[in-house]
């Protein structure tokens, strides 16, 4: 029957079989193309997201300009100012207002020999201190001369406001001069009485400073981990928001989920793009720090703020899991927002988290323990501080820190993929 119908239509049985085989071949080829597109759909989404965000000046500027360069520039300017101020305070001549200089002529003569300028005190000493006209004022009362002649301890009053940062340098220099004069007079008094001055010093304390210029410079780099980790969160923030809340606000999320590509593949591509932007932000920030620290004048103070290429590479390796964790967490938080602006508001509070470990270590430096190294953010902060000091944490510490953070990042990524596979994500309003 089928053969007669084919024959009646003017075709031969061989032609019909050939047509059917050709159609099956086309269907098979289309199925293979569809399987390939769904298998590598994440790559298509990844390329699309990267290309679109490279055209977005706001996302590109935040990932490669504002975020990565703000920290290094701010740090370099502040450090240069602090170092310059310290050099200025150490090199400038010391000028001390003295009340009652006539009661201690020998002390005044000693201070002048040390290059100190003695000037008259203001009429209202306390008012001058409060008004910040003077840092420290020395006051000598008539009782000073009486105690001095009697061989008793003579009282020297120092008027100052210790709450002011600028007072500490001046106070330290004055105290050092007064201690030197006191020691000199004590030795002379003992010699007059035929006593060896060394008997008054039963202990000879010798300090052996094991610190290096690199480790001393690490005190100025205490906030370096915060700036670097913050870049990981800033670099991919706009892309993470756009991948969920932005798509929902443009009403393009539901059509995207109806494509043959699995939702998990779509989310994988978006996460990969967000990670790339976050990682690029971290790398840019580290390079900016490595270059900027070379221009900070710290050699005169015995500090070394150099960030060597090997150290920079080690820091980059430590922060790559943080970049993935930041991308996944930001995507999860943004998925609960109904608009781009709402997601941006949520993620702004997330920026506080990177500061917590750095501030904790500045206030209370601690010795790294295993559980601390495995804790995300805290482990990176500890190891970056060690690298800044010039110490070698060891491969075990690196592995533990990387494994702990990477495990958390993969768990957060899996949760993000699961949220993206839910229909409620697209239908939420």
């Amino acid at each position: 029957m089928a053969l007669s119908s084919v024959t009646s239509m003017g075709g031969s049985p061989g032609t019909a079989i050939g047509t059917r085989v050709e159609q099956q071949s086309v269907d098979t080829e289309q199925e293979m193309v569809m399987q390939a597109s769904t298998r590598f759909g994440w790559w298509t989404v990844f390329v699309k997201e990267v290309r679109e965000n490279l055209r977005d000046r706001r996302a590109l500027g935040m990932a490669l300009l504002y975020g990565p360069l703000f920290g290094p520039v701010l740090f370099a300017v502040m450090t240069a100012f602090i170092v310059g101020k310290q050099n200025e305070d150490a090199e400038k001549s010391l000028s001390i207002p003295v009340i009652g200089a006539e009661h201690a002529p020998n002390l005044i003569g000693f201070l002048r020999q040390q290059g100190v300028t003695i000037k008259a005190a203001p009429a209202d000493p306390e008012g001058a201190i409060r008004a910040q006209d003077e840092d420290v004022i020395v006051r000598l009362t008539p009782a000073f001369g009486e105690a001095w002649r009697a061989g008793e301890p003579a009282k020297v009053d120092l008027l100052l406001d210790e709450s002011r940062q600028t007072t500490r340098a001046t106070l330290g220099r004055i105290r050092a001069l007064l201690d030197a004069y006191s020691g000199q007079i004590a030795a002379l008094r003992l010699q007059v009485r035929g006593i060896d001055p060394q008997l008054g010093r039963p202990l000879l304390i010798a300090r052996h400073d094991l610190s290096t210029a690199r480790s001393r410079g690490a005190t100025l780099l205490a906030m370096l981990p915060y700036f670097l980790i913050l870049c990981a969160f800033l670099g991919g923030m706009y892309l993470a928001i756009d991948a969920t809340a932005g798509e929902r606000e443009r009403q393009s999320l539901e059509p995207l989920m109806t494509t043959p590509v699995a939702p998990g593949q779509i989310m994988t591509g978006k996460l990969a793009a967000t990670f790339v932007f976050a990682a690029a932000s971290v790398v840019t920030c580290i390079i900016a720090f490595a270059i900027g620290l070379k221009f900070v004048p710290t050699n005169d103070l015995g500090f070394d703020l150099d960030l060597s290429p090997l150290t920079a590479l080690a820091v980059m390796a430590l922060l790559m899991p943080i970049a993935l964790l930041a991308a996944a967490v930001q995507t999860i938080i943004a998925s609960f927002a109904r608009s781009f602006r709402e997601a941006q508001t949520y993620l702004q509070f997330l920026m506080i988290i990177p500061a917590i470990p750095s501030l904790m270590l500045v206030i209370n430096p601690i010795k790294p323990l295993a559980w601390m190294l495995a804790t995300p953010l805290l482990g990176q902060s500890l190891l970056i501080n060690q690298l800044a000091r010039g110490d070698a944490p060891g491969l075990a510490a690196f592995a533990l820190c990387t494994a702990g953070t990477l495990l958390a990042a993969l768990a957060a990524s899996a949760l993000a993929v699961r949220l993206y596979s839910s229909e409620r994500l697209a239908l939420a309003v």
Side-chain angles (χ1 to χ4, degrees), residues 171-195:
L171 176 62
R173 297 176 67 182
I174 294 176
R175 286 292 302 270
L177 291 172
L178 293 177
D179 289 340
Y181 181 71
S182 178
Q184 178 179 328
I185 297 302
L188 289 175
R189 288 179 177 178
L190 290 175
Q191 288 178 354
V192 169
R193 290 165 173 79
I195 302 175

Side-chain angles (χ1 to χ4, degrees), residues 33-104:
V33 171
M34 181 65 67
Q35 291 178 354
S37 63
T38 54
R39 186 180 303 115
F40 300 100
W42 70 269
W43 176 255
T44 304
V45 176
F46 168 77
V47 173
K48 165 185 169 295
E49 293 292 337
V50 171
R51 187 178 301 167
E52 289 182 354
N53 281 272
L54 286 177
R55 298 170 183 169
D56 188 348
R57 294 183 178 179
R58 180 175 56 180
L60 190 62
M62 181 60 67
L64 302 178
L65 186 60
Y66 309 120
L69 298 184
F70 173 77
V73 171
L74 177 63
F75 178 84
V77 172
M78 292 181 60
T79 304
F81 175 78
I82 294 173
V83 171
K85 183 64 175 175
Q86 290 181 350
N87 287 332
E88 179 184 351
D89 293 340
E91 295 174 358
K92 73 177 182 180
S93 60
L94 185 59
S95 179
I96 305 176
V98 179
I99 303 173
E102 65 277 6
H103 302 304

Side-chain angles (χ1 to χ4, degrees), residues 30 49 53 82 105 134 173 187 193 198 238 249 251 264 271 300 318 322 350 368 371 405 413-414:
Q30 290 179 348
E49 293 292 337
N53 281 272
I82 294 173
E134 301 291 348
R173 297 176 67 182
R193 290 165 173 79
Q198 296 298 327
Y238 282 101
E249 189 175 24
Q251 297 183 354
L271 275 177
D300 296 339
L318 280 173
I322 289 291
L350 190 65
W371 69 268
T405 305
S413 300

Side-chain angles (χ1 to χ4, degrees), residues 222-234 282 315 318-327 329-330 349-362 366 368-386 400-409:
M223 292 302 294
L224 176 63
Y226 166 69
F227 287 114
L228 297 179
I229 295 175
L230 182 63
C231 283
F233 282 82
L234 288 176
V282 170
V315 174
L318 280 173
L319 292 177
M320 289 303 104
I322 289 291
L324 179 60
L325 178 62
V329 171
Q330 288 173 332
F349 293 100
L350 190 65
M351 299 298 106
I352 303 175
I353 296 179
I356 296 176
S358 297
L359 291 176
M360 183 183 69
L361 294 178
V362 169
I366 53 179
L369 299 177
W371 69 268
M372 298 178 184
L373 295 175
T375 304
L377 302 183
L378 179 58
Q380 280 75 14
S381 298
L382 289 169
L383 292 185
I384 291 174
N385 282 334
Q386 288 190 358
L400 185 60
C401 179
T402 302
T405 305
L406 188 59
L407 184 62

Side-chain angles (χ1 to χ4, degrees), residues 101-113 144 148 181 185:
E102 65 277 6
H103 302 304
N106 293 333
L107 174 58
I108 298 302
F110 172 82
L111 293 176
R112 283 175 174 162
Q113 289 178 358
F144 180 92
W148 185 268
Y181 181 71
I185 297 302

Side-chain angles (χ1 to χ4, degrees), residues 147-401:
W148 185 268
R149 288 186 293 271
E152 299 175 354
K155 181 181 179 182
V156 178
D157 294 325
L158 299 180
L159 306 181
L160 67 149
D161 183 358
E162 293 190 5
S163 64
R164 288 164 48 191
Q165 184 74 22
T166 56
T167 302
R168 299 178 183 177
T170 305
L171 176 62
R173 297 176 67 182
I174 294 176
R175 286 292 302 270
L177 291 172
L178 293 177
D179 289 340
Y181 181 71
S182 178
Q184 178 179 328
I185 297 302
L188 289 175
R189 288 179 177 178
L190 290 175
Q191 288 178 354
V192 169
R193 290 165 173 79
I195 302 175
D196 187 358
Q198 296 298 327
L199 295 176
R201 302 178 60 188
L203 294 180
L204 183 61
I205 301 174
R207 295 176 56 183
H208 300 277
D209 188 3
L210 300 181
S211 67
T212 62
R214 187 80 173 272
S215 63
R216 289 190 295 270
T219 57
L220 297 176
L221 295 175
M223 292 302 294
L224 176 63
Y226 166 69
F227 287 114
L228 297 179
I229 295 175
L230 182 63
C231 283
F233 282 82
L234 288 176
M237 183 178 69
Y238 282 101
L239 204 153
I241 296 174
D242 187 74
T244 51
E247 294 275 12
R248 182 187 296 120
E249 189 175 24
R250 294 190 301 269
Q251 297 183 354
S252 59
L253 185 59
E254 186 175 359
L256 184 63
M257 296 180 67
T258 60
T259 60
V261 182
Q265 293 261 352
I266 297 175
M267 180 82 300
T268 301
K270 289 180 176 292
L271 275 177
T274 305
F275 165 74
V276 166
F277 272 75
S281 179
V282 170
V283 171
T284 305
C285 187
I286 294 174
I287 295 175
F289 264 110
I291 296 174
L293 291 177
K294 296 182 180 297
F295 296 95
V296 179
T298 58
N299 294 330
D300 296 339
L301 298 178
F303 292 162
D304 183 9
L305 297 180
D306 186 29
L307 197 63
S308 65
L310 185 60
T311 302
L313 290 175
V315 174
M316 290 180 189
L318 280 173
L319 292 177
M320 289 303 104
I322 289 291
L324 179 60
L325 178 62
V329 171
Q330 288 173 332
T331 301
I332 293 172
I333 295 176
S335 65
F336 293 98
R338 296 179 177 85
S339 64
F340 193 99
R341 180 173 296 182
E342 183 180 351
Q344 190 174 7
T345 302
Y346 292 161
L347 294 184
Q348 285 178 351
F349 293 100
L350 190 65
M351 299 298 106
I352 303 175
I353 296 179
I356 296 176
S358 297
L359 291 176
M360 183 183 69
L361 294 178
V362 169
I363 298 173
N364 182 29
I366 53 179
K367 181 180 179 180
L369 299 177
W371 69 268
M372 298 178 184
L373 295 175
T375 304
L377 302 183
L378 179 58
Q380 280 75 14
S381 298
L382 289 169
L383 292 185
I384 291 174
N385 282 334
Q386 288 190 358
L387 291 171
R389 289 177 51 88
D391 299 336
L395 293 178
F398 270 89
L400 185 60
C401 179

